Amino acid sequence: MYQIRTDLALETQEKMQEDHVDLKGVRFLEEKVDKNITVSTVVIETENGAKTMGKPKGTYITIEAGNMDEEDEDYHREISVQLAKIIRQLIQEKNEELSVLVVGLGNREVTPDALGPRVVDNLFITRHIVKEYGKYAFGEKNVNRISSIVPGVMAQTGMESLEIIHGIIDETKPDLVIVIDALAARSAKRLNRTIQVTDTGINPGSGVGNHRHGLNKKSLGIPVISIGIPTVVDAATIVNDTMFNLIAAMSQSKAFDMLGDSLKELNDGEKYELIRELLSPNLNAMFVTPKDIDESVKRLSYTISEGINIAFMGEGLPA
């Protein structure tokens, strides 16, 4: 059976609901923050729930904004503020001062995968200043120490991201790691319009099937918050969505209603098998990204970096 790939817990939860799967041990909440922003929370509370969802136990918070991919002089400040609130909500350490390592995963040379490195480029880094001049260099009583790293990909370094980050953690002793990476979505409408924040960590490359060692509290020894935006969609998803629309159109046409009804009767297994046969071996390995992905990644990287800056510098974050 060909499984359509997604990194978004929200999409997995939606698929389970469509298939009428009993999601015991999984809670779902949805809040309409304003006319443009919806925040959805999926909490996987039990091991059975994690097994059903195919994702680790923890909290998955998704910000959806239809206008996120549109040009904005303020880089969607309202979304950055919402992201900052969620980051503060997920932080387990409640210290007044935190040492935070921000990791930008991905390949800077491949635009859909460059989100992590671009976010790091725009961060307000403070650790070196605090070490050199003390926290009063900022005129503040409490200052979070922010450091960052772009570990690259294994093809460039010959090392797992986990190995690089583990060495940095052993040396710098941060309280928290924030990992940023590009994701894959099941629905093309969520590309560049959705931010997922979770306290379960991340598996670098999992979105496109290149599974690497996971970055999480178990592997790194400290809490890990991951932030991701879907920038690619699996080719199989496009075929699946096209087939769904084709069935709907045929069902409404008198000339093709019988054919539409017969296709509608296919179960998920039969649909996936048909998709697998329709996809050639070359197309099967393809991922699709929007044509203006370079501009989108540039804008979205600012939105995420501002969210992190606000979360740890406090400016612009409502009390």
Side-chain angles (χ1 to χ4, degrees), residues 203-257:
N203 284 80
S206 62
V208 293
N210 298 330
H211 292 277
R212 305 256 67 93
H213 291 298
L215 305 175
N216 49 50
K217 187 174 183 179
K218 183 177 180 182
S219 63
L220 295 178
I222 58 175
V224 178
I225 292 175
S226 68
I227 303 172
I229 293 178
T231 59
V232 296
V233 65
D234 194 344
T237 298
I238 296 173
V239 176
N240 182 72
D241 291 348
T242 303
M243 191 167 76
F244 177 84
N245 293 333
L246 178 65
I247 292 171
M250 284 182 167
S251 300
Q252 294 173 6
S253 169
K254 291 183 179 180
F256 295 100
D257 59 347

Side-chain angles (χ1 to χ4, degrees), residues 27-312:
R27 286 191 292 114
F28 174 70
L29 301 169
E30 186 176 276
E31 178 189 1
K32 191 81 172 174
V33 177
D34 63 31
K35 64 178 182 179
N36 292 321
I37 302 175
T38 302
V39 177
S40 304
T41 304
V42 176
V43 183
I44 303 177
E45 299 176 313
T46 65
E47 291 297 339
N48 283 338
K51 187 176 180 181
T52 304
M53 291 281 288
K55 296 187 180 297
K57 279 182 10 178
T59 302
Y60 300 79
I61 302 177
T62 306
I63 304 172
E64 292 184 274
N67 65 342
M68 193 186 298
D69 196 32
E70 297 174 7
E71 194 167 351
D72 186 335
E73 289 183 3
D74 294 325
Y75 294 101
H76 296 294
R77 177 87 175 177
E78 71 282 5
I79 298 173
S80 297
V81 170
Q82 193 63 45
L83 174 60
K85 289 180 182 177
I86 292 169
I87 292 171
R88 299 299 300 182
Q89 177 185 330
L90 291 179
I91 292 174
Q92 298 172 10
E93 299 285 339
K94 299 302 180 184
N95 301 342
E96 290 184 345
E97 295 181 3
L98 289 172
S99 177
V100 182
L101 173 63
V102 182
V103 179
L105 295 177
N107 187 343
R108 193 186 291 274
E109 306 302 320
V110 181
T111 306
D113 197 33
L115 181 71
R118 295 279 185 87
V119 169
V120 167
D121 289 346
N122 300 313
L123 286 177
F124 185 26
I125 304 300
T126 60
R127 182 178 180 270
H128 61 304
I129 300 174
V130 173
K131 281 195 69 176
E132 185 72 23
Y133 303 106
K135 58 188 177 183
Y136 296 105
F138 294 95
E140 300 287 342
K141 185 177 180 181
N142 299 309
V143 178
N144 295 305
R145 301 180 301 283
I146 311 299
S147 56
S148 68
I149 182 68
V150 177
V153 293
M154 184 178 276
Q156 297 169 325
T157 65
M159 295 178 282
E160 288 273 4
S161 296
L162 176 63
E163 295 173 319
I164 297 171
I165 297 163
H166 220 299
I168 294 170
I169 288 173
D170 289 344
E171 187 67 29
T172 63
K173 305 289 190 297
D175 301 309
L176 170 72
V177 173
I178 294 182
V179 182
I180 298 104
D181 199 8
L183 307 177
R186 179 176 181 266
S187 172
K189 71 180 181 181
R190 286 199 166 101
L191 291 181
N192 301 331
R193 295 180 177 89
T194 305
I195 302 174
Q196 177 175 269
V197 190
T198 174
D199 60 3
T200 62
I202 200 168
N203 284 80
S206 62
V208 293
N210 298 330
H211 292 277
R212 305 256 67 93
H213 291 298
L215 305 175
N216 49 50
K217 187 174 183 179
K218 183 177 180 182
S219 63
L220 295 178
I222 58 175
V224 178
I225 292 175
S226 68
I227 303 172
I229 293 178
T231 59
V232 296
V233 65
D234 194 344
T237 298
I238 296 173
V239 176
N240 182 72
D241 291 348
T242 303
M243 191 167 76
F244 177 84
N245 293 333
L246 178 65
I247 292 171
M250 284 182 167
S251 300
Q252 294 173 6
S253 169
K254 291 183 179 180
F256 295 100
D257 59 347
M258 290 183 64
L259 180 57
D261 288 341
S262 62
L263 286 172
K264 193 184 293 183
E265 290 173 4
L266 295 176
N267 61 36
D268 278 348
E270 291 166 334
K271 286 178 184 175
Y272 284 135
E273 185 62 27
L274 180 57
I275 291 171
R276 191 180 65 81
E277 291 176 5
L278 290 172
L279 292 173
S280 68
N282 293 329
L283 187 60
N284 194 13
M286 285 186 68
F287 285 82
V288 182
T289 194
K291 64 180 181 180
D292 58 347
I293 188 63
D294 47 353
E295 282 298 315
S296 294
V297 167
K298 180 182 177 181
R299 287 195 296 267
L300 294 170
S301 65
Y302 275 111
T303 301
I304 293 182
S305 61
E306 277 302 291
I308 296 172
N309 289 338
I310 293 168
F312 294 106

